[in-house]
Amino acid sequence: MHSYGIDRGCPQGSCLGPTLWNLIANDLLNDFDNSEIDLYAYADDFCMVVSGSTRQSLETTANNAINRRYISVHDLETRNLKLNIDPTRQTLNLNFKPSFPSEVCAFTDGSKTADGVGLGVIVFKGPKPVWTGMYRLDNNNTVFQAEASAILKVIEWFKSTNYNSIDIYSDSLSSVSSSTCLYPKSPIVLSIHKLCAEIAPKKVNLFWIKAHIGIFGNEVADTLAGAATEINYNRLNVKLPVSYLKRTLKNELLIRWQSNRDSSDKVFLLDFNKVGSSDPRALLGLFPRMWFRLMVDGSTCTPWHMRS
């Protein structure tokens, strides 16, 4: 029986690729068995899940696992693998079981009605409210933006206080999940991440709760958010979403097309000279679905069923 050292990868698609990969993956999965690290495998991908109470503990645990296990299996000491968590990407703590352990707790909600878009927040210290807020957004903002802005407003208030920890409760699962995402796309959520990094070591816990099940703080926040859609003060300047831009452009194009069609009885034909090219084949890349059923010949377009 012969043994061979592994010093390079195996290209995907080769006959022995799956077998060789399974040999390596089996040893790696066995090496992580019964450890403090959870390793999940699917096809040729691995996902290593590490838990820790602080950013430093996450880095230490993950780096120890990489150095002790990955290198021991693959003999790749020269790669000097190391994990560093960007403090500006530090996520919030996510929990689905409210327990009210912090000094103060806040409830947030967003609302969009025919009157407008608004958000409401209320903060309690024990049974006593210590701060409430109502803010109105542009009528074209989304409910998600209102919900995320409500979380951001609470953290901004928390930054100006002497409290060391706060629990934030929201009934918007999308805003909670986005706020705990490591690489969010929403500018509002990015502001939440940066603000949490600024106020460290202050602790922010984010919880999701069900809506309209009788939780007093959530019901108050919902009432405040509904009232905020009608106020003319405390306006927030939040950038309009991309969906609003797409919807506006689509409606404008439909209006112009309908107006041009109604103002003329002629059949509209495409003039290739006006688009800057005498060869209509230059437009194939712009309208692939439209030109699929046409055969371009010189400067004319002939349907497939009429070509000679």
Side-chain angles (χ1 to χ4, degrees), residues 109 171 209-215 218-219 222-223:
D109 199 12
D171 59 11
I209 56 176
K210 291 183 178 181
H212 308 299
I213 60 173
I215 299 177
N218 179 251
E219 298 298 334
D222 180 69
T223 302

Side-chain angles (χ1 to χ4, degrees), residues 138-201:
D138 189 273
N139 292 349
N140 294 309
N141 286 121
T142 63
V143 177
F144 171 81
Q145 290 178 314
E147 297 277 6
S149 297
I151 296 175
L152 179 61
K153 279 298 175 182
V154 171
I155 301 177
E156 289 177 350
W157 171 86
F158 176 59
K159 179 182 178 181
S160 63
T161 66
N162 296 324
Y163 300 115
N164 295 318
S165 60
I166 187 173
D167 292 340
I168 303 176
Y169 299 89
S170 173
D171 59 11
S172 172
L173 185 57
S174 59
S175 62
V176 170
S177 299
S178 179
S179 298
T180 56
C181 178
L182 191 60
Y183 296 99
K185 298 180 180 179
S186 169
I188 303 175
V189 178
L190 285 173
S191 299
I192 293 175
H193 283 211
K194 292 180 181 179
L195 190 56
C196 288
E198 291 176 6
I199 65 177

